[in-house]
């Protein structure tokens, strides 16, 4: 795992394990260091343990094993209300019997702040999320997006250094979601707070985060900035989970430092970049992004292996073309090309040859 | 909103509202048909009995129906001017009593008036036995001696068509006819009764007229020679009480078809000829009972909240399996007979009972000062709290079940301690459940009957026990109805007040 040395470890999970029933480990050996001011997203399929991690951090679940540190101090024995962590829940958890302003004043009241200070802070927080006029309303009288903003403002109003958000945008429609993604990241960066964000929407994870931790099966499969995650997945789970991906299975033939050749199950030989294969004879899944596949003969690199392909389907999608090919016995090989004036539009039945840069084709674990 | 004036029109040019209503009518009709069996059932078994109860609580036609001539005559009587009603009233009473006695109605009336003035019941019964032996027999003998035609029912029938000498005879004849018909006899077959001759005599001497009918003319001539009898005297001979103006005032006061008397009675007042008065100290029980019922119901409701809230909380927050077991324990009382449960409280709570035994054994209570836990208010409160507890727990539970865990978590993450999170966030969200449970328990408690009856002794009984007494023992249904109506109104007022204060929308039985 590439360690980012600029991170100073504001939140640290140190070999944390969690089991609810004493039989199954929901979180297995979690090691994670989150830097101050960082926006970290936990991404993963349903049931992968994201919420559990968040709840352990917030103090609503206790770690079965291991230590969680906040700003250098172990917090395992600190009750939730003393941790000073802001939290936005998936269903917002706004208190229905209080007005918006009362909801926001709640954390300040329990901190025994003066009324005038309270009002000032509540007003500022509401203005921050552009909800200044809604202080007197009940949560039920707000739209989903407005409730979401109030929940955000409430989590921020007592100026926590760390904010946790568990799928806060899950209930919103696409457009509003994109808008709120933008607002949340901006706010988080402007205020300089550390954010741990949980989602199972990969686009959300990629667009918002400084770093993304991809969870599966109770482990972090990869922790990396979005671009690295997308372009350099470290294993086949990440490759398949993030974005669209073509995979072909085979056996490593030769390895030579940064390059290797793989013999596909159908017999063809291709070039790839070894990522987590170590020796010839290892089984591997090679992964290649649809937009990195080249079929224009003139642009193919000299001396690389190519594959024969038959066009099965051509889909016009406006900004891009999506072509489905039969490659090495697989019917689901996809190529995406930009809709440019000189771009060829393939026809079903056409026989073509495809190739790619060796570094775009990653030989991952089988 | 469009800014065009006038109604919105549908495609066919009709106003949209009309079209919509028409479209909805079929659906409404179908919906109505679906609910109509229940509606009918509720109407017959619920609305109708309540309406009947409301009616009975003011209804008082028994006086007018049983002694109509008397109540008519009493209308003219002013107790301030003459001490007793006039002779005509006594005669009217005689006529009424003869027919009422024949149909055995006078005892019912006696009981009714006895509620208002003790002693009237026996007075009526005694008078009923004696009205057959009045001196009107002398008139009968005199007239039939004069002309045998008077003995023939056909003569009376003919006169009824051609005209009696006066209203008393006419009214008496009608009464006689109806009485015979009511008994299944034929008025043309029966010998005329002496009461008819009494009325005839009074009419003949009252008017200075001459008759074309020789029979009547002869009777009139003879009448002047007969000794007039005094009805007042005759009644006085039966019982001195008939010359007591209070008896007559009572009859006069309760002559009306509708009376507030039962209601006044229900609040320890009485409608007397002098107006509304408070009853004597030793007769006042209902206000006390109402107060006790309300206060004890509140205490029961309160102890149900106190005991039920933690259990419901536990139920709502326990894992499914343990929650189910606890739920069965909560519902267990529902599955055993009310009588059995109440009786077992008797076993537990009595002075030689289990609880006292244990307390004595531990040494908290001395053997000679065992606690009085039953046959008083304590017993009623303990047993009823137990019996009504599920009605508190179930609504509470179903409301608590809907309070998301994330509310409390959010509160804690915002810095609230466990207690603050509970008190400021969880509790307010569970108030609708408390409201629903309290209404349920309170309304059930206020009308409870069996348990107070069994474990309440004399100090722990409720107003409903009194209602039951009046319905099944004293048979004073009017009073029972009035008490019931007051109870109903009290519940409605409480319900209304609750709606004003808490809001009935806030009552949730779940969901
Ligand atoms: N309170 C609990 N008791 C027992 N098991 C639990 C509990 N909460 C979660 N789990 C289990 O732990 C695993 C991880 O759950 P978690 O809620 O962390 O997943 P998640 O990654 O947040 O999923 P999602 O994206 O669906 O929210 C799941 O298999 C779940 O069934
Ligand atoms: Mg989750």
């Amino acid at each position: 795992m590439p360690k980012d040395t600029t991170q100073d470890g504001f939140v640290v999970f140190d070999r944390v394990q969690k089991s609810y029933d004493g039989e199954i480990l929901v979180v297995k050996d979690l090691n994670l260091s989150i830097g101050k001011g960082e926006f970290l997203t936990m991404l993963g399929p349903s049931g992968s343990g994201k919420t559990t991690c968040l709840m352990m951090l917030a103090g609503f679940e206790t770690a079965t094993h291991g230590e969680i540190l906040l700003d250098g101090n172990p917090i395992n024995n600190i009750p939730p209300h003393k941790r000073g962590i802001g939290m936005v829940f998936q269903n917002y958890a706004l208190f229905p019997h209080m007005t918006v302003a009362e909801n926001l004043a709640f954390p300040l009241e329990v901190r025994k702040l003066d009324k005038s200070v309270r009002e000032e802070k509540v007003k500022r927080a509401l203005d921050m999320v552009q909800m200044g006029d809604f202080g007197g309303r009940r949560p039920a009288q707000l739209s989903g997006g407005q409730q979401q903003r109030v929940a955000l403002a409430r989590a921020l109003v007592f100026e926590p250094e760390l904010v946790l958000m568990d799928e806060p945008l899950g209930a919103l429609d696409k457009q509003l979601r994109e808008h709120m993604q933008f607002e949340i990241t901006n706010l988080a960066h402007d205020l300089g707070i550390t954010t741990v964000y949980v989602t199972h929407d990969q686009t959300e994870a990629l667009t918002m985060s400084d770093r993304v931790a991809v969870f599966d099966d109770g482990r972090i499969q990869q922790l990396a900035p979005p671009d690295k995650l997308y372009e350099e997945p470290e294993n086949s789970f990440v490759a398949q989970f993030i974005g669209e991906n073509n995979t072909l299975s085979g056996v490593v033939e030769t390895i030579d430092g940064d390059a290797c050749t793989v013999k596909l199950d159908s017999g063809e030989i291709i070039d790839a970049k070894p990522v987590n294969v170590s020796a010839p004879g290892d089984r591997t899944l090679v992964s290649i992004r649809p937009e990195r596949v080249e079929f224009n003969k003139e642009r193919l690199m000299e001396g690389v292996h190519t594959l024969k392909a038959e066009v099965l389907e051509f889909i016009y999608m406006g900004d891009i073309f999506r072509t489905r090919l039969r490659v090495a016995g697989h019917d689901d090989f996809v190529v995406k090309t930009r809709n440019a004036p000189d771009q060829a539009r393939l026809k079903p039945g056409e026989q073509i040859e495809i190739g790619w840069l060796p570094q775009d084709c990653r030989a991952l674990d089988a | 909103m469009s800014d065009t004036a006038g109604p919105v029109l549908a495609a066919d040019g009709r106003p949209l509202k009309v079209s919509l209503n028409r479209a909805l009518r079929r659906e409404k009709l179908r919906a109505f048909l679906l609910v109509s069996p229940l509606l009918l059932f509720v109407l017959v078994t619920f609305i109708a009995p309540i309406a009947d109860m409301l009616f009975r609580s003011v209804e008082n036609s028994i006086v007018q129906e049983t002694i109509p001539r008397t109540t008519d005559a009493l209308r003219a009587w002013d107790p301030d001017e003459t001490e007793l009603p006039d002779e005509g009233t006594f005669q009217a009473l005689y006529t009424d009593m003869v027919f009422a006695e024949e149909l055995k109605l006078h005892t019912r009336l006696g009981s009714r008036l006895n509620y208002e003035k003790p002693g009237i019941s026996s007075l009526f019964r005694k008078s009923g036995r004696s009205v057959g032996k009045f001196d009107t027999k002398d008139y009968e003998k005199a007239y039939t001696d004069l002309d045998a035609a008077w003995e023939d029912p056909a003569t009376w029938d003919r006169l009824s068509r051609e005209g009696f000498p006066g209203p008393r005879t006419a009214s008496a004849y009608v009464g006689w006819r109806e009485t015979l018909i009511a008994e299944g006899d034929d008025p043309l077959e029966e010998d005329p009764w002496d009461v008819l001759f009494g009325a005839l005599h009074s009419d003949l001497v009252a008017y200075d007229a001459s008759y074309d009918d020789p029979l009547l003319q002869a009777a009139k001539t003879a009448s002047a020679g007969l000794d007039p009898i005094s009805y007042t005297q005759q009644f006085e001979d039966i019982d001195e009480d008939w010359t007591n103006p209070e008896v007559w005032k009572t009859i006069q006061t309760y002559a009306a078809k509708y009376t507030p008397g039962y209601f006044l009675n229900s609040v320890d007042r009485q409608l007397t000829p002098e107006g509304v008065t408070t009853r004597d100290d030793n007769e006042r029980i209902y206000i006390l009972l109402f107060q006790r019922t309300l206060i004890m119901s509140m205490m029961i409701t309160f102890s149900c909240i106190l005991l039920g809230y933690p259990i419901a909380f536990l139920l709502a927050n326990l894992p499914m399996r343990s929650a189910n077991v606890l739920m069965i324990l909560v519902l267990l009382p529902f599955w055993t007979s009310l009588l059995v449960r109440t009786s077992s409280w008797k076993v537990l709570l009595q002075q030689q009972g289990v609880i006292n035994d244990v307390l004595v054994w531990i040494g908290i209570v001395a053997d000679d000062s065992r606690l009085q836990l039953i046959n008083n208010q304590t017993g009623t409160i303990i047993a009823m709290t137990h019996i009504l507890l599920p009605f508190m727990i179930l609504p509470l539970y179903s409301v608590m079940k809907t309070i998301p865990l994330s509310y409390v978590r959010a509160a804690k993450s915002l810095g609230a301690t466990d207690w603050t999170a509970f008190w400021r966030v969880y509790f307010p969200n569970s108030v609708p459940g408390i409201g629903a449970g309290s209404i349920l328990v309170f309304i059930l408690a206020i009308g409870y009957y069996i348990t107070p009856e069994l474990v309440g002794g004399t100090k722990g009984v409720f107003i409903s026990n009194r209602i039951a007494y009046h319905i099944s023992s004293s048979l004073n249904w009017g009073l029972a109805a009035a008490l019931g109506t007051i109870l109903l109104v009290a519940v409605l007022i409480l319900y209304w007040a609750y709606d004003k204060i808490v809001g009935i929308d806030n009552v949730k039985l779940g969901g």
Side-chain angles (χ1 to χ4, degrees), chain A residues 55 60-61 80-81 84-87 89 91 93-98 103 106-107 109-111 154-155 158, chain B residues 403-418 420-429:
Chain A
M55 288 303 159
F60 298 122
E61 297 291 352
H81 67 271
I85 300 176
M87 191 150 182
F89 291 81
N91 55 7
L94 294 175
F95 306 140
H97 60 291
M98 299 183 188
N103 262 284
F106 183 82
E109 263 174 61
V110 298
R111 285 179 171 74
R154 189 179 67 175
F158 60 100
Chain B
I403 303 176
L405 183 63
S406 62
Y407 284 1
V408 171
R409 287 191 162 176
K412 286 189 195 168
S413 81
L414 293 170
T417 58
D418 288 356
T420 314
F422 169 77
W423 183 245
R424 296 279 317 272
V425 176
Y426 194 89
F427 183 77
N429 280 295

Side-chain angles (χ1 to χ4, degrees), chain B residues 51 58 117 135 137 156 175 201 222 273 286 306 386 409 491 503 507:
Chain B
V58 292
K117 179 152 180 60
D135 289 346
K137 289 262 184 290
W156 292 87
H201 177 260
Y286 296 115
L306 234 50
H386 169 243
R409 287 191 162 176
V491 168
V507 172

Side-chain angles (χ1 to χ4, degrees), chain A residues 287-334:
Chain A
S287 127
I288 173 147
R289 299 286 178 199
E291 66 274 17
R292 297 293 169 98
V293 177
E294 186 57 72
F295 55 84
N296 191 333
K297 278 218 179 74
E298 288 128 48
R299 283 196 230 145
L300 278 177
M301 246 193 8
E302 281 299 312
V304 299
H305 293 95
T306 57
L307 287 177
K308 292 204 179 325
E310 182 191 348
V311 178
L312 295 176
E313 200 177 6
F314 175 84
I315 303 166
Y316 178 86
M317 293 178 76
D319 54 344
I320 58 162
F321 303 146
R322 191 185 149 92
T323 317
R324 191 159 62 84
L325 306 173
R326 176 180 297 139
V327 174
H330 293 273
D331 278 351
D332 51 3
F333 199 94
V334 173

Side-chain angles (χ1 to χ4, degrees), chain A residues 160-231:
Chain A
E161 290 188 86
L162 175 62
V163 175
L164 314 180
M165 304 190 196
D166 191 358
E167 306 196 30
L169 305 179
L172 304 184
D173 64 50
K174 189 164 172 293
Q175 216 171 351
L176 195 56
R177 199 151 78 201
E178 281 165 7
H179 181 73
M180 288 301 300
Q181 285 169 11
F182 176 74
E183 288 200 359
I184 289 176
T185 27
N186 276 357
L187 256 175
H189 283 137
D190 290 352
L191 299 173
I193 42 178
T194 312
T195 312
V196 180
Y197 190 97
V198 164
T199 181
H200 54 224
D201 179 338
Q202 42 150 319
T203 332
E204 208 165 283
L206 294 181
T207 52
M208 297 176 79
S209 333
D210 295 328
R211 283 196 299 166
V212 179
V214 180
F215 272 67
D216 186 41
D217 194 24
R219 284 179 206 281
I220 294 183
Q221 302 289 335
Q222 186 169 0
L223 174 66
D227 52 342
K228 231 172 150 197
L229 201 64
Y230 185 81
E231 284 164 29

